[in-house]
Structures are given as structure tokens and as C-alpha cells.
């Protein structure tokens, strides 16, 4: 069985380094002329899948925007996941799960066990109950060829107070997360299956990402104010592993499929120019 890292490396080589998020904000539904209900949600996500599922390397549904409609919204999420997988995109579910280990095991089976209706290629996870508490996710991901993206330095301004606090050995909390994920990826070629989330908005923080060996998901581009050029500042010599992620910047071009594809192509071109110049 191929690892997530291998599959991601191949898909990014074929399609380009881009992740597009499906974040059906109420304002976007309104802008697309859709009602803020399950039918609007379903129409929105089908349009995105039809436009981008066969050309974008990674698509990242944001679970919160589906969960807010209850079980019918979750049913749309399950259907969206199936459609994306059929179209060839890798599906990264943004759920930012984290808990005590025994509960993390249940989350892992919900998202990373191939027999689950919500089975995806990778999930986001929060390490702030301790990276070790996520071990069941790492184990199930490794067993079934899945991936886990762990929050390290998030794109929101509130994250810094916690993530950049110093531990007893002088490293920041985020650097301890980075170092633990680096260990998990040791020896993985061409790319490890355990990624980190590092916001494109954070500037040069001096964190050492050089040993990660896995993908670096970079949200915060577009609507949150960062641009492709910021990737150079944030990631420096680790640019090769960066997977830029855009949601509203691309989605606001819809509902026209041609316009959505043009928006995705535009941001991919902007990022490629920066990533290729490394
Ligand atoms: O540090 C983080 C981690 C996750 N996100 C998520 O990414 C998208 C960003 O959406 P935009 O419309 O491109 O701003 C959203 O789902 C966040 O929950 C993040 O922004 N920052």
C-alpha cells in the first residue's frame, strides 16, 4: 500500500502544489445566489467538485460549515468526500481534532479507517493535548496509507501566545511539535505522511522546519491577507514542501465553473512562481 506522502508527492507533481478549501460560508452561499440551507450547501459543494475535482491536487472541506446543518449537512460532507475521491483529488478534511488518546482512537477510525463513511486521505489535528495523544491517529494513518496535518503555527493572530510560548528547554511549544512530527517522518521518501500546518500570515518567526520531511500546509493566503510572496518569508529554505491553501480567494470567483478554474489556476501560478524560485 502506498503511503499518503507518496500519493501526495505524485499528485502535486501531476497537478501542481495547491490545496483549495471548501468553506461554504453563509456570505458565499448568498453571493452565489444560494439559500443558506442544506440544498444550497449541496449545490455549492457539487459546483466546486465539478469545477476543481479533476485538476486540483488537494481539496480541503472545512467540516464546520457542513456540521452546522446537522446530520443532513454531514451527509452532504460524506457525499462530497466520495465525489472528490472519484474525481482524483486527495481529500484533506479540516476537522482539527484532538483529545485524550482513547478518544483520538475513535476520531482516527472515523476519518482514517477505509470502512468509515467519512474516510478521507488526511485530516487536520490539534496537538495541544500533547502530540503523544495523537498517536492513535498516526498509527491508523500509517496502517491505511493516510496522512495527518498537525497544527504548529496557525494563521490566526491569537495562536502566537500559546504556540510561541517557551518550554523549559528554551524551545517554543510550536518547535516541540515540529520536532516530534519530524521524528515520525524520519527516513520517509519521497515525502513523509505527517504534515504540519504553518500559516502564511506569520512572517519570519525563526522556527526550524528544515527536518520535517513531510508536507507543510500553508493557510492564510488570500482572504486572511497573506500573498504568495509571503511564503518565501515564512518558509525560507523549506519552500519545496509547502502546500499553499486557499478557500475564499478561489470560492469567491464562483459559481461559474470556468471562473472557479481560472481563479485556481491564477493562485497556483502565483505560488509556483515563488516555489520555483527557491
Ligand atoms: O492555521 C490555520 C489552520 C486552518 N485554517 C483553515 O483554513 C481555511 C482558510 O480559509 P480562507 O478562506 O482561505 O481564509 C479555513 O477553513 C480555516 O479554518 C486557517 O485558516 N488557519
Amino acid at each position: 500500500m502506498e503511503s499518503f506522502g507518496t500519493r501526495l508527492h505524485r499528485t502535486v507533481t501531476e497537478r501542481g502544489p495547491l490545496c483549495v478549501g471548501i468553506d461554504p460560508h453563509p456570505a458565499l452561499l448568498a453571493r452565489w445566489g444560494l439559500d443558506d440551507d442544506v440544498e444550497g450547501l449541496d449545490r455549492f459543494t457539487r459546483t466546486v467538485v465539478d469545477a476543481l475535482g479533476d485538476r486540483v491536487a488537494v481539496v480541503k472541506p472545512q467540516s464546520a460549515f457542513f456540521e452546522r446543518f446537522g446530520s443532513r449537512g454531514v451527509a452532504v460532507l460524506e457525499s462530497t468526500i466520495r465525489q472528490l475521491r472519484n474525481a482524483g483529488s486527495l481529500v484533506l478534511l479540516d476537522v482539527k481534532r484532538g483529545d485524550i488518546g482513547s478518544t483520538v482512537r475513535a476520531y482516527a477510525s472515523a476519518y482514517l479507517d477505509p470502512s468509515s463513511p467519512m474516510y478521507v486521505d488526511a485530516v487536520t489535528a490539534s496537538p495541544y493535548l500533547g502530540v503523544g495523544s495523537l498517536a492513535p491517529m498516526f498509527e491508523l494513518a500509517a496502517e491505511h496509507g493516510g496522512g495527518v496535518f498537525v497544527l504548529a503555527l496557525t494563521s490566526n493572530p491569537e495562536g502566537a501566545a500559546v504556540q510561541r510560548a517557551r518550554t523549559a528547554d528554551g524551545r517554543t511549544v510550536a518547535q516541540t511539535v515540529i520536532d516530534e512530527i519530524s521524528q515520525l517522518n524520519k527516513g520517509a521518501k519521497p515525502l513523509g505522511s505527517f504534515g504540519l500546518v504553518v500559516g502564511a500570515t506569520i512572517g519570519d518567526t525563526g522556527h526550524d522546519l528544515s527536518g520535517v520531511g513531510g508536507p507543510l500546509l500553508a493557510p492564510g493566503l488570500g482572504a486572511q491577507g497573506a500573498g504568495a510572496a509571503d511564503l518565501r518569508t515564512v518558509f525560507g529554505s523549506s519552500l519545496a514542501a509547502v502546500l499553499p491553501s486557499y478557500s475564499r480567494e478561489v470560492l469567491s470567483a464562483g459559481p461559474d465553473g470556468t471562473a472557479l478554474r481560472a481563479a485556481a489556476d491564477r493562485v497556483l501560478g502565483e505560488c509556483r512562481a515563488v516555489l520555483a524560485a527557491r
Side-chain angles (χ1 to χ4, degrees), residues 96-115:
K96 298 187 186 65
R97 295 303 191 209
D99 210 312
I100 60 169
S102 52
T103 302
V104 166
R105 190 173 304 284
Y107 282 133
S109 68
Y111 306 118
L112 297 169
D113 183 328
S115 66

Side-chain angles (χ1 to χ4, degrees), residues 3-276:
S3 71
F4 173 72
T6 300
R7 295 188 292 129
L8 178 62
H9 185 265
R10 185 178 56 248
T11 312
V12 163
T13 303
E14 289 167 2
R15 296 186 172 197
L18 180 64
C19 170
V20 173
I22 304 184
D23 294 51
H25 287 259
L28 277 173
L29 292 173
R31 187 173 169 150
W32 284 32
L34 298 169
D35 290 333
D36 188 14
D37 60 16
V38 179
E39 285 69 36
L41 175 76
D42 188 47
R43 176 75 76 83
F44 185 98
T45 56
R46 280 179 193 276
T47 303
V48 177
V49 174
D50 288 347
L52 303 179
D54 63 354
R55 64 201 285 135
V56 171
V58 180
V59 177
K60 182 175 77 66
Q62 170 52 260
S63 185
F65 291 107
F66 296 82
E67 289 176 42
R68 78 188 183 94
F69 293 106
S71 60
R72 292 183 65 212
V74 173
V76 174
L77 175 59
E78 290 175 5
S79 156
T80 304
I81 290 167
R82 278 195 302 275
Q83 292 166 45
L84 286 167
R85 293 175 70 90
N86 289 337
S89 283
L90 296 178
V91 185
L92 165 58
L93 185 61
D94 199 345
V95 276
K96 298 187 186 65
R97 295 303 191 209
D99 210 312
I100 60 169
S102 52
T103 302
V104 166
R105 190 173 304 284
Y107 282 133
S109 68
Y111 306 118
L112 297 169
D113 183 328
S115 66
S116 164
M118 211 121 61
Y119 171 57
V120 286
D121 296 288
V123 284
T124 56
S126 171
Y128 293 111
L129 274 81
V131 176
S133 68
L134 297 176
M137 274 199 188
F138 302 142
E139 287 159 18
L140 215 64
E143 189 180 336
H144 295 297
V148 183
F149 286 78
V150 177
L151 302 179
L153 292 151
T154 57
S155 65
N156 58 317
E158 303 85 356
V162 175
Q163 296 153 14
R164 298 188 214 174
R166 297 275 164 190
T167 63
D169 66 12
R171 291 179 298 165
T172 65
V173 171
Q175 189 66 54
T176 65
V177 173
I178 294 166
D179 294 345
E180 287 198 59
I181 298 304
S182 305
Q183 281 303 317
L184 293 178
N185 285 324
K186 272 263 149 30
K189 293 275 180 247
L191 188 67
S193 298
F194 304 109
L196 291 168
V197 179
V198 178
T201 48
I202 65 172
D204 180 3
T205 60
H207 285 82
D208 180 8
L209 295 164
S210 62
V212 175
L216 301 169
L217 183 76
L221 294 156
Q224 293 178 51
D230 292 306
L231 296 172
R232 196 176 298 115
T233 312
V234 174
F235 294 98
S237 60
S238 301
L239 275 176
V242 172
L243 181 61
S245 184
Y246 292 82
S247 300
R248 285 167 287 181
E249 176 75 12
V250 171
L251 300 172
S252 59
D256 179 67
T258 305
L260 278 168
R261 285 189 285 278
D265 288 350
R266 173 179 57 78
V267 295
L268 174 59
E270 289 168 10
C271 291
R272 269 198 158 126
V274 173
L275 301 182

